[in-house]
C-alpha cells in the first residue's frame, strides 16, 4: 500500500511538475503576449497619442490666440463704447440746451399770449358792456315806442268809438226825423 501510495504520489508529483512546467510556460507566454500587446499598442496608439498631443498643443495655442484676440476686441469695443457715450453725452447736453431755449421761448410766448388774451377779454367785456347798454337803450326806446303806438291805437279806438257813437246817435236822430 505504501508503494502504491508512493507510486500514486510520484505520479501525482510528476503530473504536478508537468503542470508546474506548463504553468511556467503559460506564464512566460502570457508575459510575451503582454509585451507584444504593449509593443502593438505603442505602435498603434503611439502615433495617435502623438497626434492627440499635437492637436492638444495646437488647441491650447488657438485658445491663447483667441483669448488675445478677444481681449483686443473687448478693448476696441470698450473704446468704441466710451467714444459713443462721450458723443451721446455731448448730444444730450446740446439737446438739453435746445430744450431750455425752447422752454424760455415757450414761456415768453405763453406770457405774450396770456397778455394778449387778457387785453382781448378786457376789450370784449367793454364791448359787451357797450352792446348791452345799447341793447337796453334800444329795448327801452322800443318799449316806449310800443307804448306810444298802443296809446295812439287806444286813442284812435277811443275817438273812433266816440265818432261811431256820434254817428249812431246822428243816425238815430236822422231816423227819427225821417219817420
Amino acid at each position: 500500500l505504501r508503494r502504491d501510495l508512493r507510486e500514486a504520489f510520484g505520479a501525482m508529483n510528476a503530473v504536478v511538475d508537468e503542470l508546474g512546467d506548463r504553468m511556467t510556460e503559460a506564464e512566460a507566454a502570457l508575459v510575451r503576449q503582454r509585451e507584444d500587446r504593449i509593443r502593438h499598442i505603442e505602435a498603434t496608439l503611439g502615433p495617435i497619442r502623438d497626434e492627440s498631443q499635437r492637436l492638444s498643443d495646437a488647441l491650447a495655442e488657438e485658445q491663447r490666440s483667441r483669448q488675445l484676440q478677444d481681449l483686443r476686441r473687448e478693448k476696441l469695443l470698450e473704446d468704441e463704447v466710451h467714444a459713443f457715450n462721450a458723443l451721446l453725452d455731448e448730444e444730450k447736453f446740446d439737446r438739453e440746451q435746445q430744450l431750455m431755449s425752447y422752454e424760455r421761448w415757450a414761456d415768453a410766448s405763453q406770457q405774450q399770449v396770456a397778455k394778449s388774451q387778457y387785453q382781448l377779454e378786457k376789450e370784449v367785456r367793454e364791448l359787451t358792456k357797450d352792446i348791452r347798454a345799447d341793447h337796453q337803450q334800444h329795448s327801452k326806446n322800443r318799449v316806449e315806442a310800443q307804448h306810444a303806438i298802443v296809446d295812439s291805437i287806444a286813442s284812435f279806438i277811443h275817438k273812433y268809438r266816440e265818432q261811431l257813437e256820434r254817428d249812431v246817435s246822428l243816425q238815430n236822430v236822422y231816423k227819427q226825423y225821417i219817420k
Side-chain angles (χ1 to χ4, degrees):
L1 189 48
R2 280 185 188 206
R3 192 176 64 136
D4 286 336
L5 272 173
R6 275 190 209 156
E7 286 177 13
F9 275 127
M12 190 171 86
N13 280 338
V15 168
V16 167
D17 287 342
E18 185 183 329
L19 283 175
D21 291 343
R22 282 179 63 191
M23 204 55 174
T24 303
E25 287 176 16
E27 285 177 354
L30 191 57
V31 167
R32 280 192 308 275
Q33 185 180 17
R34 184 175 177 273
E35 290 172 355
D36 288 345
R37 283 188 182 205
I38 290 173
R39 279 192 298 279
H40 176 69
I41 288 172
E42 185 61 34
T44 305
L45 295 181
I48 293 173
R49 184 187 63 234
D50 294 343
E51 181 65 15
S52 171
Q53 184 62 42
R54 186 188 68 75
L55 290 173
S56 180
D57 292 344
L59 179 62
E61 180 61 32
E62 178 71 20
Q63 284 176 338
R64 282 190 298 275
S65 172
R66 287 192 182 210
Q67 285 174 347
L68 287 174
Q69 188 178 20
D70 287 346
L71 287 174
R72 284 192 299 268
R73 285 181 181 163
E74 285 176 9
K75 176 66 175 143
L76 180 63
L77 180 61
E78 185 179 318
D79 292 344
E80 289 293 323
V81 166
H82 181 68
F84 178 76
N85 283 338
L87 182 64
L88 186 63
D89 288 343
E90 184 179 322
E91 183 69 22
K92 184 178 174 184
F93 178 76
D94 289 345
R95 294 292 183 219
E96 285 173 353
Q97 293 299 316
Q98 192 176 25
L99 178 63
M100 286 176 19
S101 174
Y102 286 148
E103 285 176 351
R104 283 191 299 271
W105 173 81
D107 286 343
S109 295
Q110 186 177 8
Q111 289 174 1
Q112 182 64 32
V113 167
K115 184 178 177 182
S116 297
Q117 185 176 1
Y118 174 75
Q119 188 64 32
L120 185 63
E121 286 175 358
K122 184 178 174 184
E123 290 173 6
V124 166
R125 277 194 302 271
E126 289 174 5
L127 185 60
T128 303
K129 184 178 174 183
D130 292 344
I131 290 173
R132 190 169 281 132
D134 286 348
H135 178 65
Q136 286 175 350
Q137 186 60 41
H138 287 302
S139 293
K140 183 178 176 184
N141 291 343
R142 190 183 61 222
V143 167
E144 288 174 358
Q146 287 175 347
H147 284 300
I149 291 171
V150 167
D151 287 342
S152 294
I153 292 173
S155 173
F156 171 76
I157 291 175
H158 181 65
K159 288 184 180 184
Y160 182 72
R161 254 193 203 157
E162 286 178 355
Q163 186 61 38
L164 278 179
E165 286 175 3
R166 273 190 245 136
D167 287 345
V168 168
S169 75
L170 278 176
Q171 271 183 357
N172 283 338
V173 170
Y174 177 74
K175 281 184 187 178
Q176 282 179 358
Y177 284 132
I178 300 187
K179 278 193 189 183

